[in-house]
Amino acid sequence: MLRRLLALALCLLGLPALAGERKLNGAEIHQTLSGHTLKGSSDSGDWSQDFDPSGRTTYSQGNNNSPGRWEVRDDQYCSVWPPNPNWSCYDVKVDGDVITFVTKSGGQSSGTMVK
């Protein structure tokens, strides 16, 4: 019986760690988003958001395109969408190719990385 438990323990130690959602730091946020596109859907329809390395971003839904700016501040993704001058910042989590933005109050919005 002890040998079986020991053999099972050794097998389990050899398994790769299970992947799961994890919070990104600032460098990881920049590397993950810069030059890439997220796609998702909401009650309003399918959407996409492009993250240019220069800090420009465009959110598109249907025939509407909203240009904005993005940057990383203190391990958070931050964006501004003119004409509103206020920046909003979010924690960023990743689970495989799914990126989730989390507000201070815990609200979440997710998209899938497509390039």
Side-chain angles (χ1 to χ4, degrees), residues 25-113:
N25 66 35
E28 291 170 322
I29 293 168
H30 192 269
Q31 181 180 7
T32 299
L33 297 179
S34 187
H36 294 96
T37 300
L38 290 180
K39 290 194 176 198
S41 61
S42 68
D43 293 340
S44 303
D46 293 341
W47 58 267
S48 67
Q49 186 171 351
D50 298 315
F51 299 88
D52 192 84
S54 71
R56 290 187 313 256
T57 186
T58 303
Y59 181 88
S60 302
Q61 191 168 39
N63 293 325
N64 298 320
N65 296 314
S66 299
R69 304 278 309 157
W70 76 281
E71 63 185 47
V72 176
R73 297 180 186 171
D74 299 323
D75 292 333
Q76 289 191 310
Y77 160 82
C78 300
S79 60
V80 64
W81 301 94
N84 185 341
N86 300 318
W87 286 79
S88 298
C89 297
Y90 308 86
D91 287 337
V92 179
K93 295 181 180 182
V94 64
D95 187 355
D97 61 354
V98 175
I99 307 298
T100 301
F101 299 92
V102 183
T103 67
K104 278 185 183 179
S105 64
Q108 297 188 12
S109 175
S110 297
T112 302
M113 187 71 65

Coordinates of all heavy atoms in Angstrom, one line a residue, residues 25-113:
N25 N 1.7 41.6 -14.6 CA 2.3 42.8 -14.2 C 2.5 43.8 -15.4 O 2.1 43.4 -16.5 CB 3.7 42.5 -13.5 CG 4.7 41.9 -14.5 OD1 4.8 42.3 -15.7 ND2 5.6 41.0 -14.1
G26 N 3.0 44.9 -15.1 CA 3.1 46.0 -16.1 C 3.8 45.5 -17.4 O 3.3 45.8 -18.5
A27 N 5.0 44.9 -17.3 CA 5.7 44.5 -18.4 C 4.9 43.4 -19.2 O 4.9 43.5 -20.5 CB 7.1 44.0 -18.0
E28 N 4.3 42.5 -18.5 CA 3.5 41.5 -19.2 C 2.3 42.1 -19.9 O 1.9 41.6 -21.0 CB 3.0 40.5 -18.1 CG 4.2 39.6 -17.6 CD 3.7 38.8 -16.4 OE1 2.9 39.2 -15.6 OE2 4.2 37.6 -16.3
I29 N 1.6 43.1 -19.3 CA 0.5 43.7 -19.9 C 0.9 44.4 -21.3 O 0.3 44.1 -22.3 CB -0.1 44.8 -19.0 CG1 -0.8 44.2 -17.8 CG2 -1.1 45.7 -19.8 CD1 -1.2 45.2 -16.7
H30 N 2.0 45.1 -21.2 CA 2.5 45.8 -22.4 C 2.9 44.7 -23.5 O 2.5 44.9 -24.7 CB 3.7 46.6 -22.1 CG 4.1 47.5 -23.2 ND1 5.0 47.2 -24.2 CD2 3.6 48.8 -23.6 CE1 5.1 48.2 -25.1 NE2 4.3 49.1 -24.7
Q31 N 3.6 43.7 -23.1 CA 4.0 42.7 -24.1 C 2.8 41.9 -24.6 O 2.7 41.6 -25.8 CB 4.9 41.7 -23.4 CG 5.4 40.6 -24.3 CD 6.3 39.6 -23.6 OE1 6.5 39.6 -22.4 NE2 6.9 38.7 -24.4
T32 N 1.8 41.6 -23.8 CA 0.6 40.9 -24.2 C -0.3 41.7 -25.2 O -0.8 41.2 -26.2 CB -0.2 40.5 -23.0 OG1 0.6 39.6 -22.2 CG2 -1.5 39.7 -23.4
L33 N -0.5 43.0 -24.9 CA -1.4 43.8 -25.7 C -0.7 44.5 -26.9 O -1.4 44.6 -28.0 CB -2.1 44.8 -24.8 CG -2.9 44.3 -23.7 CD1 -3.5 45.5 -22.9 CD2 -4.0 43.4 -24.2
S34 N 0.5 44.9 -26.8 CA 1.1 45.7 -27.8 C 1.2 45.0 -29.1 O 1.8 43.9 -29.3 CB 2.5 46.1 -27.3 OG 3.1 47.0 -28.2
G35 N 0.6 45.6 -30.2 CA 0.6 45.1 -31.5 C -0.4 44.0 -31.7 O -0.4 43.3 -32.7
H36 N -1.3 43.8 -30.8 CA -2.3 42.7 -30.9 C -3.7 43.2 -30.9 O -4.0 44.4 -30.7 CB -2.1 41.7 -29.7 CG -0.8 41.0 -29.8 ND1 0.3 41.5 -29.1 CD2 -0.4 39.9 -30.4 CE1 1.3 40.7 -29.3 NE2 0.9 39.7 -30.1
T37 N -4.6 42.3 -31.2 CA -6.1 42.5 -31.3 C -6.8 41.6 -30.4 O -6.5 40.4 -30.4 CB -6.6 42.4 -32.7 OG1 -5.9 43.3 -33.6 CG2 -8.1 42.7 -32.8
L38 N -7.8 42.1 -29.7 CA -8.7 41.3 -28.9 C -10.1 41.3 -29.6 O -10.5 42.4 -30.2 CB -8.9 41.9 -27.5 CG -7.8 41.8 -26.5 CD1 -8.2 42.4 -25.2 CD2 -7.4 40.3 -26.3
K39 N -10.8 40.2 -29.5 CA -12.2 40.2 -30.0 C -13.1 39.6 -29.0 O -12.7 38.8 -28.2 CB -12.2 39.3 -31.3 CG -11.6 40.0 -32.5 CD -11.9 39.4 -33.8 CE -11.3 40.2 -34.9 NZ -11.9 39.9 -36.2
G40 N -14.3 40.0 -29.0 CA -15.3 39.5 -28.1 C -16.7 39.9 -28.5 O -16.9 40.3 -29.7
S41 N -17.7 39.6 -27.7 CA -19.0 39.9 -28.0 C -19.7 40.4 -26.7 O -19.3 40.0 -25.6 CB -19.8 38.8 -28.6 OG -19.8 37.6 -27.8
S42 N -20.7 41.2 -26.9 CA -21.5 41.7 -25.8 C -23.0 41.7 -26.2 O -23.3 41.3 -27.3 CB -21.0 43.1 -25.4 OG -21.4 44.0 -26.4
D43 N -23.8 42.2 -25.4 CA -25.2 42.4 -25.7 C -25.4 43.3 -26.9 O -26.4 43.1 -27.7 CB -26.0 42.9 -24.6 CG -26.1 42.0 -23.4 OD1 -25.9 40.8 -23.6 OD2 -26.4 42.4 -22.3
S44 N -24.4 44.2 -27.2 CA -24.5 45.1 -28.3 C -23.9 44.5 -29.6 O -24.0 45.2 -30.6 CB -23.8 46.4 -28.0 OG -24.3 47.0 -26.8
G45 N -23.4 43.3 -29.5 CA -22.8 42.7 -30.7 C -21.3 42.4 -30.6 O -20.7 42.6 -29.5
D46 N -20.7 41.9 -31.7 CA -19.3 41.6 -31.7 C -18.5 42.9 -31.7 O -18.9 43.9 -32.2 CB -19.0 40.8 -32.9 CG -19.6 39.4 -32.9 OD1 -20.0 38.9 -31.8 OD2 -19.7 38.8 -34.0
W47 N -17.3 42.8 -31.0 CA -16.4 43.9 -31.0 C -15.0 43.5 -31.1 O -14.7 42.3 -31.0 CB -16.6 44.7 -29.6 CG -16.3 43.8 -28.4 CD1 -17.2 43.1 -27.7 CD2 -15.0 43.6 -27.8 NE1 -16.6 42.5 -26.7 CE2 -15.3 42.7 -26.7 CE3 -13.7 43.9 -28.1 CZ2 -14.2 42.2 -25.9 CZ3 -12.7 43.5 -27.3 CH2 -13.0 42.7 -26.2
S48 N -14.1 44.4 -31.4 CA -12.7 44.2 -31.5 C -11.9 45.4 -31.0 O -12.5 46.5 -31.0 CB -12.2 43.8 -32.9 OG -12.3 44.9 -33.7
Q49 N -10.7 45.2 -30.5 CA -9.9 46.3 -30.0 C -8.5 46.1 -30.4 O -7.9 45.0 -30.1 CB -10.0 46.6 -28.5 CG -9.3 47.8 -28.1 CD -9.5 48.2 -26.6 OE1 -10.4 47.6 -25.9 NE2 -8.8 49.2 -26.1
D50 N -7.9 47.0 -31.1 CA -6.5 46.9 -31.6 C -5.6 47.8 -30.6 O -6.0 48.9 -30.2 CB -6.3 47.5 -33.0 CG -7.1 46.7 -34.0 OD1 -7.1 45.4 -34.0 OD2 -7.8 47.3 -34.8
F51 N -4.4 47.2 -30.3 CA -3.5 47.9 -29.4 C -2.2 48.2 -30.1 O -1.4 47.3 -30.2 CB -3.3 47.0 -28.1 CG -4.5 46.7 -27.3 CD1 -5.3 45.7 -27.6 CD2 -4.9 47.6 -26.3 CE1 -6.4 45.4 -26.9 CE2 -6.0 47.3 -25.6 CZ -6.8 46.2 -25.9
D52 N -2.1 49.4 -30.7 CA -0.9 49.8 -31.4 C 0.3 50.0 -30.4 O 0.1 50.5 -29.3 CB -1.1 51.0 -32.2 CG 0.0 51.3 -33.2 OD1 -0.1 50.7 -34.3 OD2 0.9 52.1 -32.8
P53 N 1.5 49.5 -30.8 CA 2.6 49.8 -29.9 C 2.9 51.2 -29.6 O 3.5 51.6 -28.5 CB 3.8 49.2 -30.7 CG 3.2 48.2 -31.6 CD 1.9 48.7 -31.9
S54 N 2.4 52.2 -30.4 CA 2.6 53.6 -30.2 C 1.7 54.1 -29.1 O 1.9 55.3 -28.7 CB 2.3 54.4 -31.5 OG 0.9 54.3 -31.7
G55 N 0.8 53.3 -28.6 CA -0.2 53.8 -27.6 C -1.5 54.1 -28.1 O -2.4 54.5 -27.4
R56 N -1.7 54.1 -29.5 CA -3.0 54.3 -30.0 C -3.8 53.0 -29.9 O -3.3 51.9 -29.9 CB -2.9 54.6 -31.5 CG -2.4 56.0 -31.8 CD -2.5 56.4 -33.2 NE -2.0 55.3 -34.1 CZ -0.8 55.3 -34.7 NH1 0.0 56.3 -34.6 NH2 -0.5 54.3 -35.5
T57 N -5.1 53.1 -29.7 CA -6.0 51.9 -29.6 C -7.3 52.3 -30.3 O -7.7 53.5 -30.4 CB -6.3 51.5 -28.2 OG1 -7.0 50.3 -28.2 CG2 -7.0 52.5 -27.4
T58 N -7.9 51.3 -30.9 CA -9.2 51.5 -31.6 C -10.2 50.4 -31.2 O -9.8 49.2 -31.3 CB -9.1 51.5 -33.1 OG1 -8.1 52.5 -33.5 CG2 -10.4 51.8 -33.8
Y59 N -11.3 50.8 -30.7 CA -12.4 49.9 -30.3 C -13.4 50.0 -31.4 O -13.9 51.0 -31.8 CB -13.0 50.3 -29.0 CG -14.1 49.4 -28.5 CD1 -13.8 48.3 -27.7 CD2 -15.4 49.7 -28.8 CE1 -14.8 47.5 -27.3 CE2 -16.5 48.9 -28.4 CZ -16.2 47.7 -27.6 OH -17.2 46.9 -27.2
S60 N -13.8 48.8 -32.0 CA -14.7 48.7 -33.1 C -15.9 47.8 -32.8 O -15.6 46.7 -32.2 CB -14.0 48.2 -34.4 OG -12.9 49.0 -34.7
Q61 N -17.1 48.3 -33.1 CA -18.3 47.5 -32.9 C -19.2 47.9 -34.0 O -19.6 49.0 -34.1 CB -18.9 47.7 -31.5 CG -20.0 46.7 -31.2 CD -20.4 46.7 -29.7 OE1 -20.4 47.8 -29.1 NE2 -20.6 45.6 -29.2
G62 N -19.6 46.9 -34.8 CA -20.4 47.2 -36.0 C -19.7 48.2 -36.9 O -18.5 48.0 -37.2
N63 N -20.4 49.3 -37.3 CA -19.7 50.3 -38.1 C -19.1 51.4 -37.3 O -18.7 52.4 -37.9 CB -20.8 50.9 -39.1 CG -21.3 49.9 -40.1 OD1 -20.5 49.0 -40.6 ND2 -22.5 49.9 -40.5
N64 N -19.1 51.3 -36.0 CA -18.5 52.3 -35.2 C -17.1 52.0 -34.8 O -16.8 50.9 -34.3 CB -19.4 52.5 -33.9 CG -20.8 52.9 -34.2 OD1 -21.0 53.7 -35.1 ND2 -21.8 52.3 -33.5
N65 N -16.2 53.0 -34.9 CA -14.8 52.9 -34.5 C -14.5 54.1 -33.6 O -14.8 55.2 -33.9 CB -13.9 53.0 -35.7 CG -14.1 51.8 -36.7 OD1 -14.2 50.7 -36.2 ND2 -14.1 52.1 -38.0
S66 N -14.0 53.7 -32.4 CA -13.7 54.7 -31.4 C -12.1 54.7 -31.2 O -11.6 53.8 -30.6 CB -14.4 54.4 -30.1 OG -15.7 54.5 -30.2
P67 N -11.5 55.8 -31.6 CA -10.0 55.9 -31.3 C -9.7 56.4 -29.9 O -10.5 57.2 -29.4 CB -9.5 56.9 -32.4 CG -10.7 57.8 -32.6 CD -11.9 56.9 -32.4
G68 N -8.7 55.8 -29.3 CA -8.3 56.2 -28.0 C -6.8 56.1 -27.8 O -6.1 55.9 -28.8
R69 N -6.4 56.1 -26.6 CA -5.0 56.0 -26.2 C -4.9 54.9 -25.1 O -5.8 54.8 -24.3 CB -4.3 57.3 -25.7 CG -4.4 58.4 -26.6 CD -3.4 58.5 -27.7 NE -2.0 58.4 -27.2 CZ -1.0 58.0 -28.0 NH1 -1.2 57.7 -29.3 NH2 0.2 57.8 -27.5
W70 N -3.8 54.2 -25.1 CA -3.6 53.2 -24.0 C -2.1 53.3 -23.5 O -1.2 53.7 -24.2 CB -4.0 51.8 -24.4 CG -3.0 51.1 -25.3 CD1 -2.8 51.3 -26.6 CD2 -2.0 50.1 -24.9 NE1 -1.8 50.5 -27.1 CE2 -1.3 49.7 -26.0 CE3 -1.7 49.5 -23.7 CZ2 -0.3 48.8 -26.0 CZ3 -0.7 48.6 -23.7 CH2 0.0 48.2 -24.8
E71 N -1.9 52.9 -22.2 CA -0.6 52.8 -21.7 C -0.7 51.9 -20.4 O -1.8 51.6 -19.9 CB 0.0 54.2 -21.3 CG -0.8 55.0 -20.3 CD -0.2 56.4 -20.1 OE1 0.1 57.1 -21.2 OE2 0.0 56.8 -19.0
V72 N 0.5 51.6 -19.9 CA 0.6 50.8 -18.7 C 1.0 51.7 -17.6 O 2.0 52.5 -17.7 CB 1.5 49.6 -18.8 CG1 1.7 48.9 -17.5 CG2 1.0 48.7 -19.9
R73 N 0.3 51.7 -16.4 CA 0.7 52.5 -15.2 C 0.6 51.6 -14.0 O -0.5 51.0 -13.8 CB -0.3 53.7 -15.0 CG -0.3 54.7 -16.1 CD -1.3 55.8 -15.8 NE -1.5 56.8 -16.8 CZ -2.4 57.7 -16.9 NH1 -3.2 57.8 -15.9 NH2 -2.4 58.5 -17.9
D74 N 1.6 51.5 -13.3 CA 1.6 50.8 -12.0 C 0.9 49.4 -12.1 O 0.0 49.1 -11.4 CB 0.9 51.6 -10.9 CG 1.6 52.9 -10.6 OD1 2.9 52.9 -10.7 OD2 0.9 53.9 -10.4
D75 N 1.4 48.6 -13.1 CA 0.9 47.2 -13.3 C -0.6 47.2 -13.6 O -1.3 46.2 -13.3 CB 1.1 46.3 -12.1 CG 2.6 46.1 -11.9 OD1 3.4 46.1 -12.9 OD2 3.0 45.8 -10.7
Q76 N -1.1 48.2 -14.3 CA -2.5 48.3 -14.8 C -2.5 48.8 -16.2 O -1.7 49.6 -16.6 CB -3.4 49.2 -13.9 CG -3.6 48.6 -12.6 CD -4.7 49.4 -11.9 OE1 -4.7 50.6 -11.8 NE2 -5.7 48.7 -11.4
Y77 N -3.5 48.3 -17.0 CA -3.8 48.8 -18.3 C -4.7 50.1 -18.1 O -5.7 50.0 -17.3 CB -4.6 47.8 -19.1 CG -5.4 48.4 -20.3 CD1 -4.8 48.6 -21.5 CD2 -6.7 48.6 -20.1 CE1 -5.5 49.2 -22.5 CE2 -7.5 49.2 -21.2 CZ -6.8 49.4 -22.4 OH -7.5 50.0 -23.4
C78 N -4.3 51.2 -18.8 CA -5.1 52.4 -18.6 C -5.4 52.9 -20.0 O -4.6 52.8 -21.0 CB -4.2 53.5 -17.9 SG -3.8 53.0 -16.2
S79 N -6.6 53.5 -20.2 CA -7.1 54.0 -21.5 C -7.9 55.3 -21.3 O -8.4 55.5 -20.2 CB -7.9 52.9 -22.2 OG -9.0 52.6 -21.4
V80 N -7.9 56.0 -22.4 CA -8.6 57.3 -22.4 C -9.3 57.3 -23.8 O -8.8 56.9 -24.8 CB -7.8 58.5 -22.2 CG1 -6.7 58.7 -23.3 CG2 -8.6 59.8 -22.0
W81 N -10.6 57.7 -23.8 CA -11.4 57.7 -25.0 C -12.0 59.1 -25.2 O -13.0 59.5 -24.7 CB -12.5 56.7 -24.9 CG -12.0 55.3 -24.6 CD1 -11.8 54.7 -23.5 CD2 -11.5 54.4 -25.6 NE1 -11.2 53.5 -23.6 CE2 -11.0 53.3 -25.0 CE3 -11.4 54.5 -27.0 CZ2 -10.5 52.2 -25.7 CZ3 -10.9 53.4 -27.7 CH2 -10.4 52.2 -27.0
P82 N -11.3 60.0 -26.0 CA -11.8 61.3 -26.3 C -13.2 61.3 -26.9 O -13.5 60.3 -27.5 CB -10.8 61.9 -27.3 CG -9.5 61.1 -27.1 CD -10.0 59.7 -26.7
P83 N -14.0 62.3 -26.6 CA -13.6 63.5 -26.0 C -13.5 63.5 -24.5 O -13.2 64.5 -23.9 CB -14.7 64.5 -26.4 CG -15.9 63.6 -26.6 CD -15.4 62.3 -27.0
N84 N -13.8 62.4 -23.8 CA -13.7 62.3 -22.4 C -12.2 62.3 -22.0 O -11.4 61.5 -22.5 CB -14.3 61.0 -21.9 CG -14.3 60.8 -20.4 OD1 -13.6 61.5 -19.7 ND2 -15.1 59.9 -19.9
P85 N -11.8 63.3 -21.2 CA -10.3 63.4 -20.9 C -9.9 62.5 -19.7 O -8.7 62.5 -19.4 CB -10.2 64.9 -20.5 CG -11.5 65.2 -19.8 CD -12.6 64.4 -20.6
N86 N -10.8 61.7 -19.1 CA -10.4 60.9 -18.0 C -9.9 59.6 -18.3 O -10.5 58.8 -19.1 CB -11.6 60.8 -17.0 CG -12.2 62.1 -16.6 OD1 -11.4 63.0 -16.2 ND2 -13.5 62.3 -16.6
W87 N -8.7 59.2 -17.7 CA -8.1 57.9 -17.9 C -8.8 56.9 -17.0 O -9.1 57.3 -15.8 CB -6.6 58.0 -17.6 CG -5.9 58.6 -18.7 CD1 -5.7 60.0 -18.9 CD2 -5.1 58.0 -19.8 NE1 -4.9 60.2 -20.0 CE2 -4.5 59.0 -20.5 CE3 -4.9 56.6 -20.1 CZ2 -3.7 58.7 -21.6 CZ3 -4.0 56.4 -21.2 CH2 -3.5 57.4 -21.9
S88 N -9.0 55.7 -17.4 CA -9.5 54.6 -16.6 C -8.5 53.5 -16.6 O -7.9 53.2 -17.6 CB -10.8 54.1 -17.1 OG -11.8 55.1 -17.1
C89 N -8.2 52.9 -15.4 CA -7.2 51.9 -15.3 C -7.8 50.6 -14.8 O -8.8 50.6 -14.0 CB -6.1 52.3 -14.4 SG -5.2 53.8 -15.0
Y90 N -7.2 49.5 -15.2 CA -7.8 48.1 -14.9 C -6.7 47.1 -14.6 O -5.6 47.2 -15.3 CB -8.6 47.6 -16.1 CG -9.6 48.5 -16.7 CD1 -9.3 49.5 -17.6 CD2 -10.9 48.4 -16.2 CE1 -10.2 50.4 -18.1 CE2 -11.9 49.3 -16.7 CZ -11.5 50.3 -17.6 OH -12.5 51.2 -18.1
D91 N -6.9 46.2 -13.7 CA -6.0 45.0 -13.6 C -6.3 44.2 -14.9 O -7.3 44.2 -15.5 CB -6.4 44.2 -12.4 CG -5.9 44.9 -11.1 OD1 -5.0 45.7 -11.1 OD2 -6.5 44.6 -10.0
V92 N -5.3 43.4 -15.2 CA -5.4 42.5 -16.4 C -5.0 41.1 -16.0 O -4.0 40.9 -15.4 CB -4.5 43.0 -17.6 CG1 -4.6 42.1 -18.8 CG2 -4.8 44.4 -18.0
K93 N -5.9 40.2 -16.4 CA -5.7 38.8 -16.1 C -5.7 38.0 -17.4 O -6.3 38.5 -18.4 CB -6.8 38.2 -15.2 CG -6.8 38.8 -13.8 CD -7.9 38.2 -13.0 CE -7.9 38.8 -11.6 NZ -8.9 38.1 -10.8
V94 N -4.9 36.9 -17.4 CA -4.8 36.1 -18.6 C -5.1 34.7 -18.3 O -4.7 34.2 -17.2 CB -3.5 36.3 -19.3 CG1 -2.3 35.8 -18.5 CG2 -3.4 35.6 -20.7
D95 N -5.8 34.0 -19.2 CA -6.0 32.5 -19.0 C -6.0 32.0 -20.4 O -7.0 32.1 -21.2 CB -7.4 32.3 -18.3 CG -7.6 30.8 -18.0 OD1 -6.7 30.0 -18.4 OD2 -8.6 30.4 -17.4
G96 N -4.9 31.4 -20.8 CA -4.7 31.0 -22.2 C -4.7 32.2 -23.1 O -3.9 33.2 -22.9
D97 N -5.6 32.3 -24.1 CA -5.7 33.4 -25.0 C -6.9 34.4 -24.6 O -7.2 35.3 -25.4 CB -5.9 33.0 -26.5 CG -7.1 32.1 -26.7 OD1 -7.8 31.8 -25.7 OD2 -7.4 31.8 -27.9
V98 N -7.4 34.2 -23.4 CA -8.5 35.0 -22.9 C -7.9 36.1 -22.0 O -7.2 35.8 -21.0 CB -9.6 34.3 -22.2 CG1 -10.6 35.2 -21.6 CG2 -10.3 33.3 -23.1
I99 N -8.1 37.4 -22.3 CA -7.7 38.5 -21.6 C -8.9 39.1 -20.9 O -9.9 39.4 -21.5 CB -7.0 39.6 -22.5 CG1 -5.9 38.9 -23.4 CG2 -6.5 40.7 -21.6 CD1 -4.8 38.3 -22.6
T100 N -8.7 39.3 -19.5 CA -9.8 39.9 -18.8 C -9.4 41.2 -18.1 O -8.3 41.2 -17.5 CB -10.3 38.9 -17.7 OG1 -10.8 37.7 -18.3 CG2 -11.5 39.5 -16.9
F101 N -10.1 42.3 -18.3 CA -9.9 43.6 -17.7 C -10.8 43.6 -16.4 O -12.0 43.4 -16.5 CB -10.2 44.7 -18.6 CG -9.3 44.7 -19.8 CD1 -9.8 44.0 -21.0 CD2 -8.1 45.3 -19.9 CE1 -9.0 44.0 -22.1 CE2 -7.3 45.2 -21.0 CZ -7.7 44.6 -22.1
V102 N -10.2 44.0 -15.3 CA -11.0 44.0 -14.0 C -10.9 45.5 -13.5 O -9.9 46.0 -13.2 CB -10.3 43.1 -13.0 CG1 -11.2 43.0 -11.7 CG2 -10.2 41.7 -13.6
T103 N -12.1 46.0 -13.2 CA -12.3 47.3 -12.6 C -12.0 47.3 -11.1 O -11.9 46.2 -10.5 CB -13.7 47.9 -12.8 OG1 -14.6 47.1 -12.0 CG2 -14.1 47.9 -14.3
K104 N -11.8 48.4 -10.5 CA -11.6 48.5 -9.0 C -12.7 47.9 -8.3 O -12.5 47.3 -7.2 CB -11.5 50.0 -8.6 CG -10.2 50.6 -8.7 CD -10.1 52.0 -8.1 CE -8.8 52.6 -8.3 NZ -8.8 54.0 -7.8
S105 N -14.0 48.0 -8.8 CA -15.1 47.4 -8.1 C -15.3 45.9 -8.4 O -16.3 45.3 -7.9 CB -16.4 48.2 -8.5 OG -16.6 48.1 -9.9
G106 N -14.5 45.4 -9.2 CA -14.6 43.9 -9.5 C -15.3 43.6 -10.8 O -15.4 42.4 -11.2
G107 N -15.8 44.6 -11.5 CA -16.4 44.3 -12.8 C -15.4 43.8 -13.8 O -14.2 44.2 -13.8
Q108 N -15.8 42.9 -14.7 CA -14.9 42.3 -15.6 C -15.4 42.3 -17.1 O -16.6 42.3 -17.3 CB -14.7 40.8 -15.2 CG -14.1 40.7 -13.9 CD -13.7 39.2 -13.6 OE1 -13.7 38.4 -14.5 NE2 -13.4 39.0 -12.4
S109 N -14.5 42.5 -18.0 CA -14.7 42.4 -19.4 C -13.6 41.6 -20.0 O -12.5 41.8 -19.8 CB -14.7 43.8 -20.0 OG -14.9 43.8 -21.4
S110 N -14.0 40.6 -20.9 CA -13.0 39.7 -21.4 C -13.1 39.6 -22.9 O -14.1 39.8 -23.5 CB -13.3 38.2 -20.9 OG -13.1 38.2 -19.5
G111 N -11.9 39.4 -23.5 CA -11.8 39.2 -25.0 C -10.8 38.1 -25.3 O -10.0 37.7 -24.4
T112 N -10.8 37.7 -26.5 CA -9.9 36.6 -26.9 C -8.8 37.2 -27.8 O -9.2 37.9 -28.8 CB -10.7 35.5 -27.7 OG1 -11.7 35.0 -26.8 CG2 -9.7 34.4 -28.1
M113 N -7.6 36.9 -27.6 CA -6.5 37.4 -28.4 C -6.5 36.7 -29.7 O -6.6 35.5 -29.8 CB -5.1 37.1 -27.7 CG -3.9 37.7 -28.3 SD -3.8 39.5 -28.1 CE -3.6 39.6 -26.4

